[in-house]
């Protein structure tokens, strides 16, 4: 197969949702279609349940499993499908946000009874920022759901994206009869006892009395009415609007009963983008360029606690990645040969000889990679758009075992490289501060430091509202600011200046007073 056809058959995406909307169930059904797994329940375990906040053994066990399931690749109908898994638990949101930097499109799952939930909104904000094309799957139609028009309106309003239904449900809950597939004009009937794929009944014309025969007069009339209304309200589906991230096609179904999933997958494969060009600080990189380039978007450390093993996940952005070929690590200015890169076919890891744009390669690492690193064939490129999000919770981290200070330092260093949290050093008192997005991350850090590095730590409260990266062309003003705020100045791991604002009020005052200083809330600006 030619290099071009390899790129054109790749679809790299993530499925995201508010916890419990059905992401895991849908992922599993897609994997069943792809033949990547053969029994239901295989993906289930990759989920940190909300109740497990203090069950660290469980977290550990699941971390192990989640390496294999971090990327799930399979071949289906001539396509190479790469599904990137994202953690369900909201305390690991940062990991999800970073994974979204490595996908070409996203499927958002929404619970039909609950509609848009807080995490759906946050995830959509990230997609919107990056103009990532999004398909919406409204799940759990077998349960009593919100009114369909109401749901669509809610999505448009809260997710701030235009929608275009490509299927339409006939009732919900116990009366759920199925969906009418608008994309290919066919009726799919729902039968909770039969999970085989229904080929559907084609309709040339919706006035065909066959519709009454299948779903009864009342529902046939309603369906005709609603579809007429829909065609009046929504413009024709325009695939370019979807590809530009302005329009989300919407499907309805029930992942649990494997209903509506095949239509979703088939349409997804037809319309979802193949690997797209990507910006670097230097220039736009086209996937069809011959020279290989890629970036690290995730690091998974200490899968086997007996061997300090880490895997750096690299997204191939251009060219062909080849085993044992020398690649240039642009941050370190060094060349590396990767002798056992892995891919994640059919939910298991295997060594590969080559990979193409869109693919994810797992690189065994002994500490040379951090999130955001770029690999090339020699060109000095730095991929953009892999931000560190502004942490929302802060604690001082203190050594609780003076005999183990080296271990603590090393552990903290490596966990930060892995992107578990962010480390700041107060320039005034040199105390170390850990910034996280969720409370659970502090617990995970403490647990992992002890179990993987033999170090003990203690967290102490700190009154802090936000970490803001600051910069200014006005050097005098910057100097004055740093002097005035000396007790509140810190540096991040790369040595950049960070202002630790105590409260929103203090931050606003500072912004007003020091007008030439830019305050950034993510580390990429
Ligand atoms: P998540 O990954 O988004 O967190 O959700 P997950 O797939 O784990 O689904 C959450 C719960 O919703 C599960 O039930 C799952 O079986 C159920 N579910 C998913 N899709 C559907 C659907 O289409 N219809 C119905 N009725 N339920 C659905 P659970 O009881 O929490 O877990 P389990 O005990 O079944 O594993």
């Amino acid at each position: 197969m030619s290099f071009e056809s390899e790129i054109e058959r790749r679809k790299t995406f993530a499925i995201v949702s508010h916890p419990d909307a059905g992401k895991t169930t849908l992922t599993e059904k897609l994997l069943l279609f792809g033949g990547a797994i053969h029994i239901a329940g295989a993906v289930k375990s990759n989920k940190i349940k909300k109740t497990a906040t203090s069950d660290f053994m469980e977290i550990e066990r699941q971390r192990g499993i989640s390496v294999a399931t971090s990327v799930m690749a399979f071949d289906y109908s001539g396509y190479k499908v790469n599904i990137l898994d994202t953690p369900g638990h909201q305390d690991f949101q940062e990991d999800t946000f970073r994974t979204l930097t490595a996908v070409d499109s996203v499927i958002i799952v929404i619970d039909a009874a609950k509609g848009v939930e807080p995490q759906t909104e946050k995830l959509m904000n990230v997609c919107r920022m990056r103009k990532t094309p999004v398909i919406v799957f409204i799940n759990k139609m077998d349960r009593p759901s919100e009114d369909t028009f109401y749901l669509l309106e809610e999505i448009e309003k809260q997710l701030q994206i235009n929608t275009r239904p490509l299927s339409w449900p006939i009732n919900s809950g116990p009366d759920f009869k199925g969906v009418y597939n608008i994309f290919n004009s066919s009726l799919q009937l729902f039968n909770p006892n039969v999970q085989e794929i229904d080929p559907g009944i084609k309709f040339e014309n919706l006035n065909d009395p066959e519709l009454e025969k299948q779903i009864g007069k009342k529902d046939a009339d309603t369906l005709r009415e609603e579809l007429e209304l829909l065609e009046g309200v929504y413009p024709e589906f325009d695939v370019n609007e979807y590809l530009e991230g302005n329009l989300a096609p919407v499907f309805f179904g029930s992942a649990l009963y494997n209903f509506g999933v095949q239509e979703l997958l088939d349409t997804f494969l037809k319309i979802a983008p193949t690997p797209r060009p990507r910006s670097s600080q230097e220039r736009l990189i086209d996937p069809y360029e011959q020279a290989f380039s890629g970036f690290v978007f995730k690091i998974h450390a200490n899968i086997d606690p007996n061997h300090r093993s880490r895997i750096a996940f690299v997204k191939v952005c251009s060219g062909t990645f080849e085993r044992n070929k020398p690649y240039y690590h642009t941050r370190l200015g060094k060349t590396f040969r990767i002798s056992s890169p892995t891919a994640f076919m059919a939910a298991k890891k295997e060594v590969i000889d080559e990979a193409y744009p869109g693919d994810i390669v797992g690189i065994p690492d002994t500490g040379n990679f951090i999130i955001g690193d770029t690999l090339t064939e020699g060109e000095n490129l730095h991929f953009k758009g892999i931000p560190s999000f502004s942490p929302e919770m802060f604690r001082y981290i203190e050594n609780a075992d003076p005999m183990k200070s080296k271990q603590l330092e090393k552990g903290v260093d490596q966990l930060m490289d892995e992107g578990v949290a962010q480390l700041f050093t107060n320039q005034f008192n040199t105390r170390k501060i850990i910034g996280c997005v969720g409370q659970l991350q502090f617990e995970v850090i403490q647990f992992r430091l002890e179990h993987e590095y033999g170090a003990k730590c203690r967290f102490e409260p700190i009154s802090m509202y936000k970490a803001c990266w600051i910069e200014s062309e006005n050097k005098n003003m910057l100097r004055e600011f740093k002097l005035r705020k000396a007790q509140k100045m810190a540096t991040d791991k790369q040595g950049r200046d960070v202002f630790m604002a105590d409260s929103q009020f203090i931050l606003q005052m500072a912004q007003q007073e020091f007008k030439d200083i830019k305050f950034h809330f993510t580390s990429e600006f």
Side-chain angles (χ1 to χ4, degrees):
M1 198 179 291
S2 72
F3 172 59
E4 286 75 19
S5 337
E6 285 289 2
I7 300 179
E8 271 148 32
R9 73 185 197 97
R10 275 162 168 78
K11 304 273 178 173
T12 304
F13 72 108
I15 305 176
V16 299
S17 77
H18 189 88
D20 277 345
K23 176 177 81 77
T24 314
T25 313
L26 179 65
T27 307
E28 192 169 275
K29 294 290 148 59
L30 293 178
L31 293 179
L32 283 167
F33 279 116
I37 55 167
H38 300 286
I39 44 157
V43 186
K44 201 84 228 164
S45 42
N46 179 31
K47 200 170 102 177
I48 296 173
K49 289 264 186 193
K50 286 181 292 295
T51 48
T53 43
S54 52
D55 188 352
F56 294 115
M57 289 321 288
E58 185 59 6
I59 292 175
E60 277 301 282
R61 193 179 63 78
Q62 294 184 2
R63 261 179 15 94
I65 292 164
S66 69
V67 191
T69 52
S70 282
V71 184
M72 293 161 280
F74 60 86
D75 285 303
Y76 177 81
S77 266
Y79 291 98
K80 164 90 186 287
V81 181
N82 293 315
I83 307 183
L84 272 57
D85 193 30
T86 55
H89 200 291
Q90 62 170 8
D91 283 7
F92 298 99
Q93 256 175 45
E94 249 194 281
D95 198 15
T96 301
F97 293 153
R98 274 192 299 257
T99 298
L100 291 182
T101 64
V103 300
D104 296 307
S105 72
V106 161
I107 295 180
I108 294 187
V109 184
I110 290 178
D111 183 329
K114 296 193 177 144
V116 174
E117 296 178 83
Q119 215 168 315
T120 335
E121 258 178 77
K122 282 196 182 174
L123 292 160
M124 184 63 214
N125 287 342
V126 180
C127 295
R128 197 178 321 101
M129 229 162 65
R130 307 173 37 80
K131 291 206 148 286
T132 308
V134 161
I135 294 184
V136 172
F137 183 73
I138 300 189
N139 190 29
K140 306 198 188 182
M141 289 307 297
D142 56 295
R143 292 216 187 135
S145 312
E146 299 253 26
D147 173 72
T148 312
F149 282 108
Y150 174 82
L151 265 173
L152 292 169
E153 210 182 293
E154 190 187 3
I155 294 171
E156 296 218 341
K157 247 212 245 123
Q158 301 205 85
L159 298 187
Q160 294 169 44
I161 186 159
N162 294 327
T163 58
R164 177 53 162 109
L166 290 187
S167 76
W168 194 258
I170 301 154
N171 306 326
S172 68
D175 300 328
F176 182 50
K177 289 199 176 147
V179 295
Y180 183 75
N181 186 330
I182 301 168
F183 199 61
N184 65 10
S185 319
S186 70
L187 177 72
Q188 243 86 32
L189 293 173
F190 175 67
N191 180 348
N193 302 315
V194 181
Q195 292 215 9
E196 255 105 77
I197 304 307
D198 174 10
I201 306 160
K202 275 262 180 204
F203 279 89
E204 296 295 328
N205 178 348
L206 262 186
N207 289 324
D208 190 334
E210 182 62 23
L211 192 62
E212 270 85 0
K213 267 199 216 148
Q214 295 294 339
I215 58 174
K217 177 157 178 12
K218 183 171 154 282
D219 288 331
D221 285 346
T222 313
L223 179 66
R224 288 185 190 117
E225 250 169 54
E226 289 183 337
L227 286 179
E228 201 179 309
L229 188 61
L230 183 133
E231 297 303 332
V233 174
Y234 293 94
E236 272 293 289
F237 172 63
D238 179 349
V239 74
N240 290 321
E241 282 289 290
Y242 155 69
L243 290 172
E244 279 161 25
N246 300 324
L247 177 81
V250 180
F251 289 84
F252 295 83
S254 164
L256 187 64
Y257 292 103
N258 205 1
F259 186 80
V261 177
Q262 172 135 38
E263 293 75 55
L264 172 73
L265 178 61
D266 288 347
T267 315
F268 166 81
L269 292 174
K270 271 196 208 111
I271 66 173
T274 51
R276 309 204 292 174
R278 196 171 182 101
S279 318
S280 72
Q281 275 170 29
E282 293 76 11
R283 61 184 186 87
L284 193 70
I285 316 295
D286 193 273
Y288 295 89
E289 290 178 20
Q290 293 298 319
F292 159 76
S293 67
F295 69 92
V296 176
F297 67 94
K298 178 182 177 115
I299 288 185
H300 207 109
N302 301 341
I303 302 126
D304 175 358
N306 300 322
H307 308 92
R308 276 275 149 75
S309 51
R310 318 210 295 183
I311 291 188
F313 289 77
V314 173
K315 160 93 187 261
V316 180
C317 297
S318 67
T320 308
F321 170 91
E322 288 172 59
R323 184 156 84 98
N324 277 326
K325 201 168 164 179
Y327 289 127
Y328 182 60
H329 185 312
T330 61
R331 182 178 54 87
L332 298 181
K334 276 198 210 158
T335 298
F336 287 84
R337 273 172 211 278
I338 292 118
S339 59
S340 45
T342 49
F344 306 85
M345 281 302 276
K348 64 176 197 288
K349 265 191 334 172
E350 53 191 44
V351 172
I352 47 149
D353 288 320
E354 52 189 26
Y356 298 95
D359 286 342
I360 311 299
V361 180
I363 297 184
D365 173 38
T366 47
N368 290 309
F369 291 97
I370 63 173
I371 287 165
D373 278 349
T374 301
L375 283 178
T376 68
E377 286 193 16
E379 190 177 347
N380 200 19
L381 295 177
H382 301 83
F383 282 104
K384 290 205 297 197
I386 310 127
S388 291
F389 280 78
S390 177
E392 289 166 13
M393 294 178 172
F394 303 90
R395 302 266 187 282
Y396 281 121
I397 179 165
E398 299 292 345
N399 188 1
D401 180 352
M403 305 296 290
K404 298 280 169 65
S405 62
K406 275 240 144 45
Q407 285 86 335
L408 183 71
E409 204 176 306
K410 181 164 184 192
V412 169
D413 197 50
Q414 292 202 350
L415 292 183
M416 299 306 126
D417 285 352
E418 207 186 305
V420 173
Q422 289 182 52
L423 182 73
F424 305 99
T425 308
N426 184 319
Q427 292 305 290
F428 191 71
N429 57 17
T430 69
R431 287 180 81 180
K432 306 264 190 233
I433 300 161
I434 300 266
C436 287
V437 179
Q439 173 63 33
L440 183 52
Q441 277 171 302
F442 289 113
E443 298 173 34
V444 168
I445 289 169
Q446 202 164 28
F447 177 84
R448 290 189 56 193
L449 283 173
E450 189 167 342
H451 286 79
E452 293 166 25
Y453 299 91
K456 280 203 164 64
C457 78
R458 193 173 66 234
F459 290 111
E460 288 182 9
I462 172 172
S463 138
M464 188 168 156
Y465 162 69
K466 263 214 167 2
C468 324
W469 283 261
I470 56 164
E471 57 161 4
S472 179
E473 305 266 304
N474 184 339
K475 297 294 167 224
N476 286 337
M477 187 180 278
L478 197 59
R479 197 174 318 116
E480 193 198 328
F481 181 84
K482 287 192 329 201
L483 263 175
R484 282 259 298 275
K485 303 283 180 191
Q487 297 194 16
K488 298 290 167 192
M489 286 308 300
T491 47
D492 71 2
K493 246 190 121 207
Q494 281 80 44
R496 289 177 299 185
D497 288 328
V498 178
F499 169 52
M500 300 177 299
D502 293 34
S503 67
Q504 191 173 10
F505 178 72
I506 287 179
L507 176 60
Q508 276 169 356
M509 293 297 286
Q511 282 171 317
Q512 271 169 25
E513 194 180 343
F514 295 90
K515 288 214 173 350
D516 286 353
I517 294 186
K518 286 192 195 124
F519 295 79
H520 302 280
F521 301 103
T522 66
S523 63
E524 181 171 280
F525 40 84

